[in-house]
Amino acid sequence: MRHCIYPGTFDPITYGHLDVLGRAAKLFDRVTLAIAPSAGKTPLFTSAERVAMVGPNVAIFPNVAVVTFEGLLVEFAMAQKADAIIRGLRALSDFEFEFNMALMNRHLQPELETLFVMPNEQFSYTSSTLVKQVAKYGGDVSNFVPPNVAEALRRAYPQNR
Ligand code: COA
């Protein structure tokens, strides 16, 4: 059984993340989508809210589980007996950050590989921060996030409705 971890903040999850997840679910027997509480950011949604938002959108993947994790990713991955970490590369601008993170994770845990997949190019400019900015000022985010996430964003930013 090949098992990978797809980590991130997912504040909130977007169609771009789900694209990466779908590719991971085809490549691995099991995928654990692992939500980091903050990763140095100030999230809009709590970890529990992010788990709840992801849930219905991953129900189509029978081999995907959703959890939160604290502490070092590599330690969590080893405790889960994962074979790999999977990350999405949207554009060249992602490369340096991802490269450094993969090498640091390899330094910490040489047995754990990091694999990269490219999401569909239609998601290359999507990020959770941009989606939140658009939602905050009343813009339409329905092309970027699933309906339940769009609804949660509407509730989070009611002042511009
Ligand atoms: N579609 C849309 N957006 C995407 C995306 C995709 N396919 N892939 C990445 N993004 C966006 C995210 O929306 C996010 O946007 P934001 O910065 O506006 O919120 C950004 O790219 C990066 O987010 P993500 O991929 O979720 O990663 P992250 O930087 O939030 O998470 C962790 C990084 C959690 C994996 C990392 O901090 C970690 O491992 N933390 C645990 C502690 C640890 O081990 N640290 C040492 C690491 S070497």
Side-chain angles (χ1 to χ4, degrees), residues 13 35 49-60 66 148:
I13 194 153
I35 299 180
E49 286 170 333
R50 282 176 271 155
V51 170
M53 271 188 276
V54 171
N57 295 298
V58 302
I60 53 164
V66 182
N148 70 319

Short mmCIF file of all heavy atoms in Angstrom, two decimals, residues 13 35 49-60 66 148:
data_model
loop_
_atom_site.label_atom_id
_atom_site.label_comp_id
_atom_site.label_asym_id
_atom_site.label_seq_id
_atom_site.Cartn_x
_atom_site.Cartn_y
_atom_site.Cartn_z
N ILE A 13 -9.61 25.51 1.16
CA ILE A 13 -9.30 24.63 0.02
C ILE A 13 -9.88 25.24 -1.26
O ILE A 13 -10.94 25.88 -1.22
CB ILE A 13 -9.83 23.20 0.26
CG1 ILE A 13 -9.20 22.25 -0.76
CG2 ILE A 13 -11.37 23.14 0.23
CD1 ILE A 13 -9.09 20.83 -0.31
N ILE A 35 -3.93 19.00 7.29
CA ILE A 35 -4.13 20.44 7.44
C ILE A 35 -3.27 20.96 8.59
O ILE A 35 -3.42 20.52 9.74
CB ILE A 35 -5.62 20.75 7.69
CG1 ILE A 35 -6.45 20.27 6.48
CG2 ILE A 35 -5.82 22.23 7.96
CD1 ILE A 35 -7.94 20.53 6.60
N GLU A 49 -12.97 24.18 11.06
CA GLU A 49 -13.77 24.68 9.93
C GLU A 49 -13.16 24.23 8.61
O GLU A 49 -13.88 23.87 7.66
CB GLU A 49 -13.84 26.21 9.98
CG GLU A 49 -14.75 26.75 11.05
CD GLU A 49 -14.63 28.26 11.26
OE1 GLU A 49 -13.55 28.84 10.97
OE2 GLU A 49 -15.60 28.86 11.74
N ARG A 50 -11.83 24.24 8.54
CA ARG A 50 -11.17 23.83 7.29
C ARG A 50 -11.39 22.34 7.03
O ARG A 50 -11.66 21.93 5.90
CB ARG A 50 -9.68 24.18 7.34
CG ARG A 50 -9.44 25.66 7.07
CD ARG A 50 -7.99 26.02 7.22
NE ARG A 50 -7.66 26.40 8.57
CZ ARG A 50 -6.45 26.32 9.13
NH1 ARG A 50 -5.45 25.83 8.43
NH2 ARG A 50 -6.25 26.71 10.36
N VAL A 51 -11.33 21.53 8.09
CA VAL A 51 -11.60 20.09 7.93
C VAL A 51 -13.04 19.90 7.44
O VAL A 51 -13.30 19.14 6.49
CB VAL A 51 -11.39 19.33 9.27
CG1 VAL A 51 -11.91 17.90 9.16
CG2 VAL A 51 -9.93 19.34 9.68
N ALA A 52 -13.97 20.63 8.05
CA ALA A 52 -15.39 20.49 7.68
C ALA A 52 -15.62 20.93 6.23
O ALA A 52 -16.42 20.33 5.51
CB ALA A 52 -16.25 21.31 8.63
N MET A 53 -14.90 21.96 5.78
CA MET A 53 -15.08 22.45 4.41
C MET A 53 -14.51 21.46 3.39
O MET A 53 -15.03 21.30 2.30
CB MET A 53 -14.36 23.79 4.23
CG MET A 53 -15.21 24.96 4.55
SD MET A 53 -14.38 26.49 4.09
CE MET A 53 -13.38 26.76 5.51
N VAL A 54 -13.40 20.81 3.77
CA VAL A 54 -12.77 19.85 2.85
C VAL A 54 -13.64 18.61 2.70
O VAL A 54 -13.81 18.08 1.60
CB VAL A 54 -11.35 19.47 3.36
CG1 VAL A 54 -10.78 18.32 2.55
CG2 VAL A 54 -10.41 20.68 3.32
N GLY A 55 -14.21 18.16 3.82
CA GLY A 55 -14.92 16.87 3.88
C GLY A 55 -15.78 16.51 2.68
O GLY A 55 -15.49 15.54 1.97
N PRO A 56 -16.85 17.29 2.40
CA PRO A 56 -17.75 16.91 1.30
C PRO A 56 -17.07 16.90 -0.06
O PRO A 56 -17.52 16.23 -0.98
CB PRO A 56 -18.85 17.98 1.35
CG PRO A 56 -18.47 18.96 2.38
CD PRO A 56 -17.27 18.49 3.12
N ASN A 57 -15.98 17.65 -0.20
CA ASN A 57 -15.30 17.74 -1.49
C ASN A 57 -14.33 16.61 -1.76
O ASN A 57 -13.84 16.47 -2.89
CB ASN A 57 -14.58 19.09 -1.59
CG ASN A 57 -15.57 20.24 -1.58
OD1 ASN A 57 -16.40 20.33 -2.47
ND2 ASN A 57 -15.54 21.05 -0.54
N VAL A 58 -14.03 15.83 -0.75
CA VAL A 58 -13.13 14.69 -0.98
C VAL A 58 -13.88 13.37 -0.89
O VAL A 58 -13.27 12.31 -1.04
CB VAL A 58 -11.90 14.70 -0.03
CG1 VAL A 58 -11.13 15.99 -0.18
CG2 VAL A 58 -12.31 14.51 1.42
N ALA A 59 -15.21 13.47 -0.67
CA ALA A 59 -16.01 12.24 -0.52
C ALA A 59 -15.96 11.38 -1.79
O ALA A 59 -16.15 10.17 -1.72
CB ALA A 59 -17.44 12.61 -0.16
N ILE A 60 -15.69 12.02 -2.95
CA ILE A 60 -15.62 11.25 -4.20
C ILE A 60 -14.34 10.40 -4.28
O ILE A 60 -14.22 9.56 -5.17
CB ILE A 60 -15.70 12.16 -5.46
CG1 ILE A 60 -14.64 13.27 -5.39
CG2 ILE A 60 -17.09 12.73 -5.64
CD1 ILE A 60 -14.41 13.96 -6.73
N VAL A 66 -8.84 12.98 5.74
CA VAL A 66 -8.51 14.36 6.09
C VAL A 66 -8.21 14.44 7.59
O VAL A 66 -9.00 13.97 8.40
CB VAL A 66 -9.69 15.32 5.76
CG1 VAL A 66 -9.33 16.76 6.09
CG2 VAL A 66 -10.09 15.19 4.30
N ASN A 148 -19.61 25.02 -1.18
CA ASN A 148 -19.67 25.15 0.29
C ASN A 148 -18.59 26.10 0.81
O ASN A 148 -18.78 26.78 1.82
CB ASN A 148 -19.58 23.78 0.98
CG ASN A 148 -18.22 23.13 0.86
OD1 ASN A 148 -17.58 23.17 -0.19
ND2 ASN A 148 -17.75 22.53 1.95
#
